[in-house]
Amino acid sequence: MNFSKRIILLLLIFAGSFSKILAQSTHVLSYNQPAEFFEESLLLGNGKMGATIFGGVGLEKIYLNDITLWSGEPVNANMNSEAYKNISAIREALKNENYQLAEELNKKIQGKNSESYAPLGTLEIHHQNSEKFEKYYRELDVSTAVSKVNYTVNGVNFTREYFVSAPDKILVIKLTSSKKGALNFTLNTNSLLNFKTVVDGNVFKMKGRAPIHENAGYEVPSEYLKQKERGTRFTSLVKIKNADGSIISEADKIGVKNATEAIIFVSVATSFNGFDKNPETEGLNDENIAEVNLNNAFKKSYQTLKASHIKDYQKFYNRVSLNFGESTAPNLPTDERLLRYAEGKEDKNLEILYFNFGRYLLISSSRTLGVPANLQGLWNHYLSPPWSSNYTMNINLEENYWLAENTNLSELHLPLLSFIKNLSVTGKVTAKTFYGVDKGWAAAHNSDIWAMTNPVGQFGKEEPMWACWPMAGAWLSTHIWEHYSFTQNKKFLENEGYPLMKGAAEFCMNWLVKDKKGFYITSPSTSPENQYITPNGFVGATTYGGTADLAMIRECFDKTIKAAKILNKDEDFVQQLESYLQKLYPYQIGKKGNLQEWYFDWEDKDPKHRHQSHLFGLFPGNHITPDKTPDLAKASKTTLEIKGDETTGWSKGWRINLWARLWEGNRAYKMYRELLRYVVPDNKKTENPRRGGGTYPNLLDAHPPFQIDGNFGGTAAVAEMLLQSDGDEIRLLPALPDAWSSGSVKGLCARGGFEISMTWKDKKLQKLTILSKNGGETTLISGEKSKKIALKKGKQIEIVW
């Protein structure tokens, strides 16, 4: 062996060893075998294009997604123009306490179900070196958004490196072999949708379109896949750049032969041109877009593409860093770390990795205006995905964005905020035709890329407990205030945010009616997906004056009033809102000491139900707090005690945040550990099944099945345990658990436009640095000590606590 070859071999050995050391860090997921199931795969994305990497040896399978590829076309918001005529009959039935009749009549206030997020296709790379392999290693580094695979076959080391670039709008895969000419592979793409492929020179092209159907249920009928000339088109282009060897180009595949290095470029695009544009007749030229992006990227070197990708990604990721002190956990692959952690053993770095992974997922799935992260974020491989992989707006869509502001990813909130603007357009029609309200806008349980706002239920076929709920506008409007509260961007508030908040508040104000006591209530009302039992034994969902409705309306009115006063406008409207706010039916504490979910102190059909929507005022709202409303906070705690800790996914993520807001750090941490409970892939057969809620081997949330909101809720909860704020006060370490008694954090954000870095020891704050982005005053609180400060724009101070 000559000197240069020895150097190369030593570098490869060092690189492999170095990767395995990093795998135990707070930012690397690593495995010693290829993925067999989706729940073991590694996810990449640039906020529009998604890639699911399996890392196979003989066959590398990569699922491809584009966040703008959905079934359907612009929604007919006027689909049930006289539905509102049933409202008076429902209200009369409720007034007469005839809940069974109200339940049946409420089904008349329903429309179509949402459309589905579609899988674009699968890239298959067939390798000839499929003999017995060894020294396999696979990783995803969330600090660079780069995935790697290394393995050896017959003494030859093969490596792959993958990333999806936001600046260059391209998936890049670099393949190398340690032996000259040992790289041989072919590739092709296919899709579950209607598609055609062709090899054009050295480019593999796939073109197709998503089905066009009004999804009455959740299945995609096969006949829809055959429909042509309607729906969203898509194009996928694949091209190979070889350093040596030769390019293979055949009728149904392309590849390389006898190469040492090759780079695969994958470009995808769709014809989606906006929620209100027909994707066929008014659509974008998807093929041209894909070609331009491919050609532009192909001209650049791999080093240039990778450097640009990492620089762009890290401008978000590097804003926050977290440290919980020394960990004694052994060096293990991520799946083995999860198994060990599930036994109750310490792994602080795994807890930080989960937090970092949540931020990584938001950066990777939320960078397309008007198209926020969906139930699966960006990554879906099902033709009929669970719950249509849609926007479920009675918790899930909102939970996706709880981490956007406090973990310093404010720009990634904009896809949701711009989507709210789309909802306000169709929502004006929904408010009038479904609810008989001529002012403002409303949205309901589900939506899709077409900004559907109508209540779902297949026009009377579904249960009101989930289908009939008009409060999404009220909830979503609070996200607008959150964005302003953290950024202090008055221009955004005036030009974009406030009109949407006002519209949501106008609907709510005109939807309210008075009860027999003179209080304002909603009628009809449901509490998302939960049911009550009346004293005579009737089980139902339709009632009046539900606590969840009124909690969301309280928050909506309060924040709209604040916004109007900041902008010095709509004085008469503000006075109206203040009057209504004072006359809302007050919170009630039940006989068990719990916060009542229903107007009356009724029993729940399921006392441990996964939804806890009536605790909205505690979190994500902030009008219930332990110090300012102690009785309501205590009742909220009792409610959580009754519900217990055994819940999954998004629900557990929500409960961790609720416990954090109650300043119960150890209880929040207990549930955070449970969120990271190891769960085997859904379809994996095993003698020792670990099913139910928790975390899959690739750190994705197991609801089950996979829903990304659990990841986002868990990440947000870590930040909430370390820092809470309301615009006037910033609480430092308000719910710090014993397990994190010493540590540091950099870059968390607080309402009022502040950024915080701090260190603590033995559960006591030691030192903090606070930066004011726009100038302002706040009061810092930690333990029994408080300090009022004032900072000019762009200035920061360091305080030894």
Side-chain angles (χ1 to χ4, degrees), residues 250-381:
E250 300 180 7
D252 59 350
K253 60 189 175 185
I254 60 174
V256 298
K257 184 177 181 181
N258 300 331
T260 311
E261 177 182 303
I263 304 170
I264 301 171
F265 295 78
V266 184
S267 177
V268 303
T270 79
S271 65
F272 177 76
N273 193 25
F275 78 102
D276 55 352
K277 301 288 193 305
N278 186 298
E280 171 58 31
T281 60
E282 303 172 277
L284 299 174
N285 187 333
D286 52 300
E287 185 169 5
N288 179 258
I289 294 170
E291 286 179 351
V292 169
N293 291 338
L294 178 67
N295 293 335
N296 287 342
F298 200 82
K299 297 173 185 176
K300 300 179 182 180
S301 71
Y302 179 80
Q303 291 76 13
T304 299
L305 291 166
K306 183 179 177 182
S308 177
H309 155 70
I310 292 175
K311 181 180 179 181
D312 171 80
Y313 171 78
Q314 288 186 337
K315 73 184 180 187
F316 299 110
Y317 183 84
N318 286 352
R319 293 174 183 173
V320 172
S321 63
L322 186 59
N323 182 354
F324 291 147
E326 184 179 351
S327 171
T328 59
N331 291 342
L332 294 170
T334 303
D335 49 348
E336 295 180 34
R337 291 175 78 183
L338 274 172
L339 280 165
R340 178 183 175 277
Y341 187 78
E343 297 172 355
K345 296 177 180 177
E346 180 271 324
D347 194 340
K348 295 187 182 77
N349 286 348
L350 179 63
E351 294 164 351
I352 297 171
L353 175 60
Y354 189 87
F355 170 85
N356 289 338
F357 184 61
R359 295 183 70 248
Y360 164 82
L361 290 174
L362 191 67
I363 299 168
S364 302
S365 64
S366 184
R367 297 179 70 173
T368 302
L369 293 179
V371 191
N374 57 54
L375 278 174
Q376 277 70 45
L378 172 58
W379 303 274
N380 165 51
H381 59 287

Side-chain angles (χ1 to χ4, degrees), residues 691-709:
R691 307 295 184 187
T695 296
Y696 291 118
N698 60 1
L699 294 191
L700 291 179
D701 172 66
H703 181 40
F706 161 56
Q707 279 187 203
I708 205 165
D709 38 36

Side-chain angles (χ1 to χ4, degrees), residues 445-456:
H445 179 205
N446 287 139
S447 190
D448 50 32
I449 199 169
W450 312 110
M452 183 193 86
T453 49
N454 58 273
V456 291

Side-chain angles (χ1 to χ4, degrees), residues 449-583:
I449 199 169
W450 312 110
M452 183 193 86
T453 49
N454 58 273
V456 291
Q458 302 186 68
F459 297 93
K461 295 180 182 179
E462 304 281 4
E463 293 301 319
M465 62 182 287
W466 66 272
C468 300
W469 181 78
M471 288 291 111
W475 188 335
L476 287 166
S477 72
T478 65
H479 277 257
I480 295 167
W481 174 257
E482 286 289 88
H483 184 67
Y484 168 75
S485 186
F486 277 91
T487 65
Q488 299 293 292
N489 186 338
K490 191 172 179 180
K491 184 177 179 181
F492 162 82
L493 185 66
E494 183 166 19
N495 297 337
E496 300 289 337
Y498 177 72
L500 301 176
M501 296 177 71
K502 182 180 179 181
E506 283 178 322
F507 168 78
C508 292
M509 190 166 63
N510 287 275
W511 177 240
L512 292 168
V513 296
K514 284 190 175 181
D515 68 0
K516 296 174 183 178
K517 301 174 185 178
F519 289 110
Y520 283 114
I521 59 170
T522 53
S523 179
S525 172
T526 59
S527 194
E529 304 186 47
N530 204 359
Q531 291 178 295
Y532 56 76
I533 304 175
T534 65
N536 65 8
F538 174 71
V539 177
T542 304
T543 181
Y544 54 82
T547 303
D549 281 6
L550 298 176
M552 293 171 195
I553 291 172
R554 276 187 179 87
E555 200 74 19
C556 173
F557 283 3
D558 177 63
K559 300 313 187 261
T560 305
I561 289 167
K562 284 182 168 64
K565 288 183 176 179
I566 287 169
L567 299 173
N568 194 28
K569 60 171 51 179
D570 292 335
E571 184 177 345
D572 291 343
F573 179 59
V574 166
Q575 290 177 357
Q576 278 186 294
L577 287 181
E578 289 175 332
S579 175
Y580 271 70
L581 191 56
Q582 292 171 4
K583 296 176 184 176

Side-chain angles (χ1 to χ4, degrees), residues 70 113-118 215 217-219 374-376 380 384-391 447:
W70 289 64
N113 283 357
S114 77
E115 298 295 338
S116 296
Y117 180 48
N215 182 11
Y218 286 113
E219 295 300 317
N374 57 54
L375 278 174
Q376 277 70 45
N380 165 51
S384 300
W387 303 287
S388 294
S389 195
N390 64 15
Y391 299 125
S447 190

